[in-house]
Amino acid sequence: MDPAGFLLFGPRVGAELGGDRWAVGASARVFHWGLLSRALFLEEEWSFAFSYGVALRGRYYLQPAQSGLHLGVAAELLGTNVEQAAERIVTRSFYGVPQIEVGYRLPFSSFYVDGSASAGYAIQLAARVDDLPGGSSAQFYEPVDQSNVYAAAAIELGLRF
């Protein structure tokens, strides 16, 4: 669980499976709950409808027992829905976000705290503008491509089984 996501690109929950030094994981985030995602994607009088991310990642831990310094790669698919109530439209965008990460895990018996930083590039894969109920002007708008360099930090709190 990444509660720090409320400040960045939305809180995340996930699971990780692995051996002594290698691990693979999957996670999901609620993108529209993140303060930074709101600051970067929204203009005045715009709002998020449900927006999400799902990711797969692989990590290599330099110390045994999945602890200490780790390096990894991840790929996230991000779906955003930005509504413009005054125009009665919603812009639906879909991004792919390949990234690299570095972090450090501190184990405390069966619990752990893991801090990590990641960087990559958000690539727009698809986008369209649709009418909201009562709207009829979507054909006059083009979606804005928000492809850009991506960086994030996370603080994961977890439980080892």
Side-chain angles (χ1 to χ4, degrees):
M1 174 172 70
D2 173 21
F6 282 108
L7 298 174
L8 298 172
F9 297 104
R12 220 172 11 106
V13 295
E16 187 174 78
L17 179 64
D20 204 32
R21 292 182 185 257
W22 290 95
V24 295
S27 63
R29 80 170 68 237
V30 182
F31 185 77
H32 63 279
W33 287 351
L35 292 177
L36 188 57
S37 58
R38 290 180 172 279
L40 293 177
F41 278 80
L42 300 180
E43 294 184 17
E44 192 173 321
E45 299 186 26
W46 292 11
S47 63
F48 272 123
F50 180 72
S51 299
Y52 62 92
V54 292
L56 294 175
R57 74 170 182 230
R59 285 182 172 168
Y60 177 76
Y61 293 84
L62 299 180
Q63 296 178 6
Q66 295 182 8
S67 64
L69 185 66
H70 58 82
L71 306 171
V73 295
E76 183 171 19
L77 295 175
L78 179 65
T80 64
N81 295 293
V82 177
E83 294 183 352
Q84 297 171 337
E87 289 83 15
R88 307 296 306 150
I89 60 171
V90 58
T91 301
R92 303 180 195 283
S93 301
F94 196 60
Y95 292 88
V97 188
Q99 51 199 296
I100 56 172
E101 102 175 338
V102 63
Y104 194 89
R105 179 172 286 178
L106 292 170
F108 298 99
S109 185
S110 59
F111 295 96
Y112 67 83
V113 176
D114 190 310
S116 62
S118 59
Y121 194 82
I123 304 161
Q124 186 179 58
L125 303 173
R128 69 179 196 267
V129 178
D130 293 329
D131 286 314
L132 289 170
S136 61
S137 60
Q139 71 271 18
F140 300 117
Y141 293 90
E142 290 291 323
V144 176
D145 185 351
Q146 296 281 354
S147 296
N148 208 336
V149 172
Y150 171 90
I155 298 175
E156 296 177 2
L157 306 174
L159 179 62
R160 283 188 58 148
F161 295 101

